[in-house]
Amino acid sequence: MQPGRIAHVAELGRLTLDGDVEITGSDPALATPWPVGEIAAVALARCGVAAARLARRVGGDPGSVRTDVGNAAAATIGFAVMRVDGESMARTNADNPWVGRYRCADGRWIHLHGGFPALAERLASLLDLPVGADEATIAAVVSGSESASLEDAIAKRRGCSAIIRTEDEWREHEQGQLVHTWPTVVVGTRGVAASTRWAPSATRPLDGLRVLDLTRVLAGPTCGRTLAAFGADVLHVRGPDVPVVPAFVIDTGHGKRQAHADFADPHSLAALRQVALEADVVVQGYRPGVVARYGLDEDSLRADGFAGVFASVSAFGHDGPWADRAGWEQLAQAASGLCLDPLGVGKPVMLPCAATDYVTGFVMAAGVMEALDAALGDGDARRVDGSLCQTAAWILRVGRLGEVTSPSGFSLELQRSETGFGVVDHLGPCVEIDGLDVGWSHPTTPLGEGTLSW
């Protein structure tokens, strides 16, 4: 990847890559005209630059930040290239008819996402179908619905869907207009003094940093995993009955401790709030409004003395008419204009990877480190906001490479870890920094295995 191309991709992501950065390789590494490998590589490099800056604050002397486009492209399908006891893991929703693209009465395509049981039940109830309905039955009912009315009706039921739009349509949409005005991550001051408990390390920048990871699925967990690679003590907490995608849990768990907390139990919730108040960073990824019901939102925590970085990751953005809508990778692609041929007769073509999820995780981690660095400089606490659609906007700004008939591919560089899930062969952090220790201090562990404490 040529220096001019690196600078161009970084500029369109509204990022700054200062210092010695080396990115090898170029797209297409995957079978898509979107340069997802280059974008992921720049996002990973940004993490390295931010970590190096923290190390220099305390006398560290980090050298070159290095990553590779092929490895970065592989990182956007990390769960798929992973092997557990020598075998790939089955796709959780591969045969789920409630996760897929369906044609509406007005000729438009809509992506339904009932990837968890409650979401499938909401879709089934709205369409007056049994949860066990097959694809043909769902398609027949959807074909009688107007796309915009169906999309809005699903949102009102707290379900998940998105019309597959063109880029121009999304830019004209009220939410899309707003998203395209934001940087890839939004970092802002909060008007309160930042915590002075933590200080960086010269060789492992985030050593001793307490990060409470209240996220699920991919983007938020990837942020926590990335922070763990630079030394953070990441405690991932979720409810014991919250549905999961097993491959995602294994892939994003490296370097973390895992604990359960029953949000509905007053004693468990009190313990979780205490852990949050003692954290240096809280990262949350639930549907907007959910954590507020439990006093785990930023305002509630700051009212009780939280002085760290509060980071929030969403599907469609932290503000605007769609801010309270939940979403997934596929829906961010669908809404934002990343799908190829959205107005065609055949099903629109999705990206062959989870680019908006993983890249959002990377840039969120970089944003957290930049917020920590800024707070050390001026003493003001920060908030960090990112979303899958902000990452999609970056991909759109960089633009297509052209038609891809034979991607260059990549050579997998997998690490082997003995874990509670078995022997896991997996990607490493995919970024190196001369003079710094980058990597996970322990392998991925099953959910709920650890204690709810620092």
Side-chain angles (χ1 to χ4, degrees):
M1 191 173 178
Q2 297 299 316
R5 176 68 175 172
I6 295 172
H8 176 67
V9 173
E11 179 184 5
L12 292 174
R14 300 167 189 174
L15 314 176
T16 300
L17 291 183
D18 52 5
D20 184 6
V21 175
E22 178 184 348
I23 299 179
T24 56
S26 61
D27 272 323
L30 298 173
T32 175
W34 299 109
V36 295
E38 295 176 357
I39 287 167
V42 168
L44 286 162
R46 185 186 185 190
C47 290
V49 168
R53 190 179 300 127
L54 285 169
R56 291 190 186 99
R57 274 196 171 273
V58 288
D61 187 25
S64 176
V65 175
R66 297 188 303 278
T67 188
D68 175 78
V69 170
N71 287 339
T76 67
I77 49 172
F79 68 90
V81 302
M82 178 181 67
R83 298 291 180 266
V84 180
D85 291 331
E87 302 290 336
S88 59
M89 295 191 69
R91 299 291 182 93
T92 299
N93 285 308
D95 299 318
N96 183 354
W98 292 109
V99 179
R101 289 148 283 168
Y102 291 93
R103 196 173 181 87
C104 297
D106 54 6
R108 299 306 302 268
W109 291 87
I110 191 168
H111 201 306
L112 306 182
H113 206 302
F116 289 144
L119 298 177
E121 289 166 7
R122 289 167 194 164
L123 291 172
S125 175
L126 175 67
L127 296 175
D128 197 22
L129 290 172
V131 174
D134 61 19
E135 183 177 352
T137 303
I138 297 170
V141 174
V142 172
S143 69
S145 302
E146 192 272 332
S147 58
S149 297
L150 180 59
E151 183 184 57
D152 287 342
I154 291 171
K156 288 178 181 177
R157 295 274 188 114
R158 295 187 301 115
C160 290
S161 75
I163 295 170
I164 300 180
R165 292 172 167 82
T166 67
E167 178 182 354
D168 287 343
E169 287 173 332
W170 181 241
R171 285 181 176 273
E172 293 170 2
H173 188 280
E174 189 176 355
Q175 187 68 32
Q177 290 180 36
L178 191 58
V179 167
H180 275 279
T181 67
W182 296 330
T184 311
V185 286
V186 178
V187 180
T189 57
R190 307 313 291 165
V192 297
S195 169
T196 58
R197 190 202 70 82
W198 172 82
S201 162
T203 57
R204 191 152 167 79
L206 301 185
D207 186 42
L209 183 78
R210 295 173 177 173
V211 178
L212 176 58
D213 183 346
L214 294 175
T215 68
R216 52 196 300 216
V217 190
L218 269 180
T222 296
C223 172
R225 184 190 66 182
T226 305
L227 296 172
F230 293 103
D233 176 12
V234 180
L235 177 62
H236 179 228
V237 180
R238 69 171 67 200
D241 299 321
V242 174
V244 302
V245 179
F248 296 175
V249 169
I250 298 173
D251 181 49
T252 62
H254 302 291
K256 300 180 184 180
R257 295 185 294 116
Q258 303 282 1
H260 280 154
D262 184 349
F263 288 23
D265 177 78
H267 296 292
S268 183
L269 180 59
L272 176 56
R273 288 198 82 252
Q274 187 59 41
V275 166
L277 292 171
E278 294 173 358
D280 303 300
V281 177
V282 173
V283 185
Q284 85 84 26
Y286 286 83
R287 181 196 294 267
V290 170
V291 291
R293 295 204 300 265
Y294 302 101
L296 294 166
D297 58 302
E298 183 186 15
D299 289 343
S300 297
L301 292 177
R302 293 215 187 275
D304 286 339
F306 175 68
V309 173
F310 191 92
S312 185
V313 58
S314 62
F316 301 108
H318 61 283
D319 194 12
W322 279 25
D324 62 348
R325 294 193 182 189
W328 297 67
E329 167 77 33
Q330 297 95 320
L331 304 188
Q333 291 186 32
S336 65
L338 284 177
C339 294
L340 303 183
D341 196 22
L343 303 178
V345 174
K347 287 185 179 181
V349 178
M350 312 290 290
L351 293 177
C353 59
T356 70
D357 259 325
Y358 282 107
V359 174
T360 299
F362 299 148
V363 295
M364 283 292 294
V368 167
M369 287 188 277
E370 290 165 359
L372 290 166
D373 183 61
L376 289 169
D378 62 19
D380 291 332
R382 262 40 178 209
R383 178 184 172 101
V384 180
D385 284 288
S387 69
L388 308 189
C389 281
Q390 284 164 255
T391 296
W394 179 17
I395 298 172
L396 290 163
R397 285 193 295 269
V398 176
R400 298 186 193 183
L401 299 164
E403 295 302 318
V404 176
T405 55
S406 55
S408 60
F410 44 79
S411 298
L412 286 177
E413 300 175 11
L414 299 180
Q415 300 178 359
R416 173 161 290 184
S417 299
E418 299 279 349
T419 81
F421 302 101
V423 177
V424 178
D425 295 299
H426 59 92
L427 290 167
C430 295
V431 61
E432 298 177 343
I433 309 169
D434 288 338
L436 296 187
D437 177 14
V438 182
W440 297 299
S441 59
H442 55 271
T444 185
T445 59
L447 297 175
E449 190 174 79
T451 59
L452 187 61
S453 63
W454 296 113

